[in-house]
Amino acid sequence: MQIKQTSRGAIAYCVTAAQASTTEWFDVSFWQEKSAVTGSSKGRYTTWFVKPALQAPQNEEPADKESEWVLRHYYRGGLIEKLSKDKYLFTGLHKTRAVAELALLTQLFNEGFAVPRPIAANVERSGLYYRADIIIERVEGAQDLVAKLSKEVMTDDQWQQLGHCISKFHQRGVYHADLNAKNILITDDEFYLIDFDRGEVRAPNAKWQGANLERLLRSFNKEKGKLPSLAFTESDWQSLMKGYSKP
């Protein structure tokens, strides 16, 4: 991960294609002006999908013409959101939400874990506070589990595969601060974990690992409550736990 200073703060980047990045890259209007926005995902706030191919410097190889990037701004949640929607106290660049997440993704991606490729992060200072954004590569052909299960069932083998995937992260000591059904992606043959904001590598421990799994189960049940036809059952959860327990 490389760091370059900007007039407002700093940009951290992980790939050659982002070496020429500027603060404009982290503003969706920059991509809209180039007709490079390909879609969005709406939750509490909007995450944007953009095409990076046009941004490669002329003397460098362009990014994969088929690849897409995901642009996400950091917003607060909970009660504190009412006081400050997207400002955080600055205590050092590497402790910012964006750079910390980018660093963790870089570590996990380089170790071969199923996470999106990290691209770049932007931190803009304003006195004692900062705002931040992150860009990652979109996982081609993926959908989150809520979208998947709202349309079709997963097989017993897939549930076990998911459990084993989560287990590998836990065995490595990877703590995911918001492990829920929407932060798990599925492609034709693999599961990915996304959104590692506030995540970290810590000593493996049954207490936090169990709490992680309980959070995921609550997430499935919550989504099932909102959509009774969601293809999730107690049997599916037992299959996930069976895969989780496999050596």
Side-chain angles (χ1 to χ4, degrees):
M1 186 172 71
Q2 303 293 316
I3 304 289
K4 64 178 182 179
Q5 301 300 313
T6 69
S7 61
R8 305 175 192 173
I11 290 174
Y13 62 94
C14 304
V15 297
T16 302
Q19 189 172 0
S21 59
T22 67
T23 56
E24 291 179 311
W25 284 32
F26 300 88
D27 184 340
V28 67
S29 63
F30 170 81
W31 302 96
Q32 288 170 332
E33 290 173 1
K34 299 179 180 300
S35 300
V37 174
T38 59
S40 64
S41 175
K42 297 184 184 298
R44 281 194 311 121
Y45 299 99
T46 301
T47 297
W48 300 95
F49 306 133
V50 302
K51 274 281 197 180
L54 294 175
Q55 303 313 313
Q58 292 183 354
N59 61 341
E60 295 179 3
E61 287 294 319
D64 182 348
K65 291 182 179 180
E66 299 304 316
S67 72
E68 291 181 309
W69 288 353
V70 181
L71 171 60
R72 170 165 55 88
H73 186 69
Y74 285 80
Y75 289 101
R76 285 189 174 279
L79 294 175
I80 199 168
E81 178 186 9
K82 296 179 180 179
L83 300 175
S84 175
K85 186 174 70 171
D86 64 349
K87 289 196 300 184
Y88 302 86
L89 181 65
F90 184 83
T91 58
L93 182 64
H94 290 274
K95 293 181 179 180
T96 60
R97 304 279 280 262
V99 174
E101 182 174 358
L102 194 75
L104 178 58
L105 279 175
T106 300
Q107 178 182 353
L108 295 177
F109 185 84
N110 289 342
E111 291 181 11
F113 281 87
V115 298
R117 181 191 296 272
I119 303 297
N122 178 51
V123 174
E124 296 189 1
R125 297 279 307 276
S126 177
L128 296 175
Y129 299 92
Y130 73 91
R131 291 183 172 88
D133 313 88
I134 192 169
I135 296 175
I136 60 174
E137 187 171 79
R138 189 178 186 185
V139 179
E140 185 177 359
Q143 58 183 324
D144 69 59
L145 282 193
V146 174
K148 168 77 173 179
L149 298 174
S150 66
K151 296 178 291 188
E152 56 187 321
V153 301
M154 293 202 311
T155 66
D156 182 73
D157 285 345
Q158 285 177 313
W159 282 108
Q160 290 193 45
Q161 182 186 351
L162 172 57
H164 189 59
C165 172
I166 295 170
S167 176
K168 288 193 293 184
F169 280 89
H170 280 183
Q171 289 171 23
R172 178 64 179 85
V174 180
Y175 169 73
H176 193 296
D178 190 18
L179 187 61
N180 66 62
K182 289 188 175 181
N183 283 336
I184 300 174
L185 304 183
I186 181 174
T187 64
D188 288 338
D189 57 2
E190 192 168 6
F191 291 94
Y192 292 78
L193 300 191
I194 63 170
D195 193 355
F196 281 84
D197 181 25
R198 297 177 291 114
E200 62 181 3
V201 175
R202 55 171 64 168
N205 179 284
K207 185 175 181 179
W208 69 255
Q209 292 167 339
N212 238 198
L213 291 169
E214 289 171 6
R215 185 184 187 92
L216 178 58
L217 178 57
R218 288 196 302 271
S219 161
F220 279 122
N221 288 331
K222 178 181 177 181
E223 297 298 337
K224 181 80 171 181
K226 292 190 291 186
L227 182 66
S229 62
L230 192 79
F232 173 74
T233 66
E234 175 62 25
S235 176
D236 294 328
W237 182 254
Q238 293 306 318
S239 294
L240 183 152
M241 292 304 298
K242 182 178 179 181
Y244 182 87
S245 300
K246 282 184 177 179

